[in-house]
Amino acid sequence: MAKKYHEDHFSPRVADLMSALTLIFLFISVVYMLQVNKEKERIEMIAKDFKNTKYEIYTDLNEEFKDDLKKWNAYIDKDTLSITFKEPDVFFDVGSSNINQKFKDILDDFFPRYVEILFTKYNNEIEEIRIEGHTSSEWNRNDDGLQAYFKNMTLSQERSKSVLEYCMLLNKMKPYRDFLISKATANGLSYSHRVMEDGKENFSKSRRVEFKIKTTAEAHINDILEAGGFNETN
């Protein structure tokens, strides 16, 4: 009988403890969900701002260069905010990273206007200005697959670097050099981003030089996710 009395006396305390723990876990769950919703709203707001900024950048670039793109054999992609100069073999000799005079003339006209728009209107929204060199798989195609890829990587990197150096050394760029040092990069991608059409590589379209803009929106979203502990394991 004494044992039964002890168990009956202890059971209400266990029940009270379990109820308290349940309330604590419920409270934590509610707080967590509120935090998740708050961070989701912040991300949605950043995404909306990014979409608007992206549209504004595209509109400004298109307005500035719409009369020049055809003669430059270039186009603007509004989704990636990239300006692509096609057929770099016209701008470089085959297998060379030396810029031909025709491309220098284009860069003399294009780059100062391009940078002025980005610096004047979107300085705080620009994280990176990427100059990308792309080759096709046609050059050195008779080499071993990896060796051809590596040789094209070297060529594309040297070409993008040559373009960046030439652009930054223009006299008109003196007021913007600190801005460019903090934002501009040269990137050689070999033929890793080939242009495929109907399952086959379009060699002509694969060979190109691109000026791409990366905004700060992606970095802001990553900061929010990291600060809130929202990663791939959650």
Side-chain angles (χ1 to χ4, degrees), residues 5-19:
Y5 171 80
H6 176 75
E7 290 178 348
D8 290 343
H9 179 73
F10 187 71
S11 295
R13 294 183 181 180
V14 173
D16 291 343
L17 179 60
M18 293 303 296
S19 298

Side-chain angles (χ1 to χ4, degrees), residues 31-45:
V31 170
Y32 178 78
M33 290 306 299
L34 289 174
Q35 182 68 18
V36 169
N37 289 334
K38 182 179 179 181
E39 301 302 343
K40 182 181 177 182
E41 289 175 1
R42 288 179 62 191
I43 292 173
E44 288 175 348
M45 185 178 299

Side-chain angles (χ1 to χ4, degrees), residues 66-127:
K66 63 183 180 182
D67 296 329
D68 302 301
L69 294 172
K70 186 175 181 179
K71 67 180 180 181
W72 291 343
N73 196 18
Y75 68 92
I76 303 176
D77 188 314
K78 66 180 179 180
D79 293 324
T80 61
L81 295 179
S82 64
I83 297 181
T84 300
F85 293 89
K86 296 178 284 185
E87 290 287 0
D89 287 346
V90 176
F91 309 137
F92 303 90
D93 290 336
V94 175
S96 172
S97 61
N98 294 323
I99 305 172
N100 290 338
Q101 189 59 48
K102 179 179 179 180
F103 198 22
K104 288 181 179 180
D105 293 340
I106 292 174
L107 293 173
D108 289 347
D109 187 14
F110 160 73
F111 198 70
R113 293 157 62 191
Y114 178 71
V115 170
E116 184 176 3
I117 290 173
L118 300 183
F119 177 82
T120 303
K121 299 190 66 174
Y122 304 103
N123 195 330
N124 295 328
E125 284 77 32
I126 300 298
E127 180 176 344

Side-chain angles (χ1 to χ4, degrees), residues 32-217:
Y32 178 78
M33 290 306 299
L34 289 174
Q35 182 68 18
V36 169
N37 289 334
K38 182 179 179 181
E39 301 302 343
K40 182 181 177 182
E41 289 175 1
R42 288 179 62 191
I43 292 173
E44 288 175 348
M45 185 178 299
I46 291 173
K48 183 177 180 181
D49 289 342
F50 166 65
K51 185 176 180 179
N52 292 336
T53 299
K54 191 170 159 183
Y55 175 77
E56 290 171 3
I57 293 174
Y58 168 75
T59 300
D60 285 339
L61 292 177
N62 190 59
E63 181 64 26
E64 178 68 28
F65 297 118
K66 63 183 180 182
D67 296 329
D68 302 301
L69 294 172
K70 186 175 181 179
K71 67 180 180 181
W72 291 343
N73 196 18
Y75 68 92
I76 303 176
D77 188 314
K78 66 180 179 180
D79 293 324
T80 61
L81 295 179
S82 64
I83 297 181
T84 300
F85 293 89
K86 296 178 284 185
E87 290 287 0
D89 287 346
V90 176
F91 309 137
F92 303 90
D93 290 336
V94 175
S96 172
S97 61
N98 294 323
I99 305 172
N100 290 338
Q101 189 59 48
K102 179 179 179 180
F103 198 22
K104 288 181 179 180
D105 293 340
I106 292 174
L107 293 173
D108 289 347
D109 187 14
F110 160 73
F111 198 70
R113 293 157 62 191
Y114 178 71
V115 170
E116 184 176 3
I117 290 173
L118 300 183
F119 177 82
T120 303
K121 299 190 66 174
Y122 304 103
N123 195 330
N124 295 328
E125 284 77 32
I126 300 298
E127 180 176 344
E128 183 182 7
I129 300 170
R130 294 174 57 89
I131 299 177
E132 294 185 351
H134 299 262
T135 68
S136 71
S137 62
E138 190 173 30
W139 188 62
N140 283 317
R141 65 189 304 177
N142 293 326
D143 286 352
D144 169 79
L146 274 180
Q147 290 304 313
Y149 174 77
F150 291 145
K151 287 182 180 179
N152 276 276
M153 179 66 74
T154 299
L155 177 62
S156 62
Q157 183 64 45
E158 290 176 347
R159 285 181 170 180
S160 62
K161 182 174 178 285
S162 293
V163 171
L164 177 59
E165 287 182 354
Y166 181 82
C167 289
M168 288 185 67
L169 290 173
L170 292 172
N171 287 331
K172 291 182 180 179
M173 290 297 97
K174 287 182 179 180
Y176 305 106
R177 279 179 188 160
D178 287 341
F179 169 72
L180 290 172
I181 287 172
S182 66
K183 306 291 185 182
T185 63
N187 305 269
L189 283 84
S190 188
Y191 49 79
S192 57
H193 292 180
R194 289 171 283 182
V195 176
M196 308 299 291
E197 294 179 346
D198 298 324
K200 296 181 179 180
E201 181 182 359
N202 185 314
F203 296 122
S204 177
K205 290 183 179 180
S206 291
R207 295 189 292 268
R208 62 200 188 275
V209 174
E210 296 183 348
F211 289 76
K212 282 187 175 179
I213 298 165
K214 183 179 179 182
T215 72
T216 57

